[in-house]
Amino acid sequence: MAHPISAFQAAYISIEVLIALVSVPGNILVIWAVKMNQALRDATFCFIVSLAVADVAVGALVIPLAIIINIGPQTEFYTCLMVACPVLILTESSILALLAIAVDRYLRVKIPVRYKSVVTPRRAAVAIACCWIVSFLVGLTPMFGWNNLNKMQRTQELNGSHTEFVITCQFETVISMEYMVYFNFFVWVLPPLLLMLLIYLEVFNLIRKQLNKKVSSSSNDPQKYYGKELKIAKSLALVLFLFALSWLPLHVLNCITLFCPSCQTPPILTYIAIFLTHGNSAMNPIVYAFRIKKFRTAFLQIWNQYFCCKTNKNATSTAMAETGN
């Protein structure tokens, strides 16, 4: 039986539930907005929907599972492993969605004329499917054998225990720190983040060159196009920055755990790092609402039409037709 929930655990659970209650409706609203607004149907926003799906799953699935792990029930090893793996899948899905968004923005400013013929809806759908397939493969790697089962079995044999192999379900009990650091962080988190940083730097450089080139141009269309691209690129770069800010502390703590076993990490730091990773799923809809006009317009239209009982269809249709960023 699990121990009674302490006051500290109760506070932890309350904060996690609050994060979930913000994350799930917010990201559902993002998906809803893209579905309703024709101006949000290009490839970038399809990738944003993929990111929002992962964030909904964090609030609806990962946070409840994290609460279960925090309570520490007595389970079989692979049952606990199945509880721990979803967060790995969804983290990787978010990273790959952010990478796809960065590549998409790069193509929009690098080949604006050929962009629509290169980034077709079919290719965007294939890219999203590939991102999710890779995410499942990376996240389920511990289920394929890279876990702590052998280590725990050896410990049990050394202790001379021959009872049924039941453990207290904790993340670090079943997930190998070597996997988390060498494979998850050094291969599937850090390199994509660095690559995205380079891509956005190049995007801003290309946009700056185009804006400077078109200052004396008699046509305002190119400058208007790159001006819009600059606004969206800044907003999506902010999403990337918040993701890195939210996830890097936990990975740094994992590195400390692996490379300095004698170092004592204060539990409060671990909890703060966990809150940051889960809270990141609630941040993106807020960024979209304040930074991207298309989303703001769609959010207001949904609110007015479905929650405030406003039925002025002409007004809402006009609002949905706006294409400003």
Side-chain angles (χ1 to χ4, degrees):
M1 296 293 291
H3 295 292
I5 296 175
S6 65
F8 189 83
Q9 284 179 314
Y12 165 80
I13 292 171
S14 299
I15 295 173
E16 288 281 41
V17 169
L18 180 61
I19 292 172
L21 290 176
V22 174
S23 176
V24 173
N27 285 286
I28 288 176
L29 191 61
V30 170
I31 299 167
W32 193 353
V34 173
K35 181 182 178 185
M36 290 189 62
N37 194 342
Q38 291 290 338
L40 296 172
R41 294 291 179 84
D42 64 19
T44 299
F45 297 106
C46 292
F47 295 130
I48 286 176
V49 166
S50 180
L51 180 59
V53 168
D55 288 337
V56 169
V58 168
L61 178 64
V62 169
I63 288 179
L65 294 179
I67 292 172
I68 292 173
I69 287 179
N70 181 261
I71 294 172
Q74 298 292 310
T75 67
E76 294 182 354
F77 183 88
Y78 277 99
T79 301
C80 184
L81 199 58
M82 289 177 64
V83 171
C85 282
V87 67
L88 304 174
I89 297 169
L90 296 172
T91 302
E92 191 56 38
S93 173
S94 297
I95 291 171
L96 294 178
L98 288 168
L99 180 58
I101 290 169
V103 172
D104 177 74
R105 301 324 293 182
Y106 173 77
L107 293 175
R108 285 186 71 94
V109 298
K110 183 67 174 179
I111 52 169
V113 177
R114 294 190 296 117
Y115 170 79
K116 288 188 177 180
S117 62
V118 172
V119 184
T120 62
R122 180 182 177 84
R123 288 174 179 171
V126 170
I128 291 171
C130 289
C131 287
W132 279 98
I133 291 171
V134 171
S135 300
F136 272 92
L137 292 175
V138 172
L140 291 177
T141 296
M143 295 292 295
F144 303 145
W146 197 345
N147 54 53
N148 287 336
L149 179 61
N150 290 335
K151 183 189 298 184
M152 296 193 69
Q153 287 176 333
R154 286 196 300 269
T155 301
Q156 187 182 39
E157 290 171 1
L158 290 174
N159 293 335
S161 174
H162 300 286
T163 59
E164 185 180 357
F165 192 56
V166 176
I167 64 169
T168 299
C169 187
Q170 299 287 341
F171 187 85
E172 291 185 19
T173 302
V174 293
I175 299 294
S176 165
M177 272 300 121
E178 286 81 5
Y179 162 82
M180 286 300 300
V181 173
Y182 292 125
F183 186 68
N184 189 277
F185 182 48
F186 287 168
V187 176
W188 290 103
V189 174
L190 194 57
L193 287 177
L194 294 175
L195 178 58
M196 283 183 270
L197 174 62
L198 294 176
I199 290 173
Y200 275 111
L201 288 175
E202 181 62 15
V203 166
F204 290 130
N205 182 51
L206 289 171
I207 292 175
R208 180 184 58 80
K209 288 181 179 179
Q210 291 297 328
L211 289 175
N212 290 339
K213 186 187 303 183
K214 299 299 179 181
V215 166
S216 59
S217 174
S218 60
S219 172
N220 290 325
D221 288 339
Q223 192 160 3
K224 183 179 179 182
Y225 174 83
Y226 285 106
K228 289 181 178 180
E229 288 301 314
L230 180 61
K231 290 179 182 178
I232 293 183
K234 285 181 177 179
S235 300
L236 297 175
L238 176 59
V239 170
L240 172 62
F241 172 76
L242 291 173
F243 182 90
L245 191 66
S246 299
W247 278 96
L248 287 178
L250 185 61
H251 284 289
V252 169
L253 291 178
N254 288 339
C255 290
I256 293 173
T257 300
L258 179 64
F259 298 129
C260 183
S262 61
C263 297
Q264 295 295 322
T265 303
I268 188 64
L269 291 182
T270 302
Y271 278 104
I272 290 173
I274 292 172
F275 288 143
L276 282 173
T277 61
H278 295 166
N280 178 252
S281 297
M283 296 176 189
N284 294 343
I286 299 172
V287 173
Y288 302 150
F290 282 96
R291 301 276 307 180
I292 302 178
K293 186 177 179 182
K294 289 179 181 179
F295 269 117
R296 188 163 61 250
T297 300
F299 291 164
L300 288 174
Q301 192 270 343
I302 290 171
W303 175 260
N304 289 335
Q305 185 171 343
Y306 293 95
F307 297 97
C308 291
C309 300
K310 294 184 179 181
T311 57
N312 187 345
K313 294 185 179 180
N314 291 331
T316 55
S317 297
T318 302
M320 295 302 291
E322 292 184 14
T323 56
N325 295 303

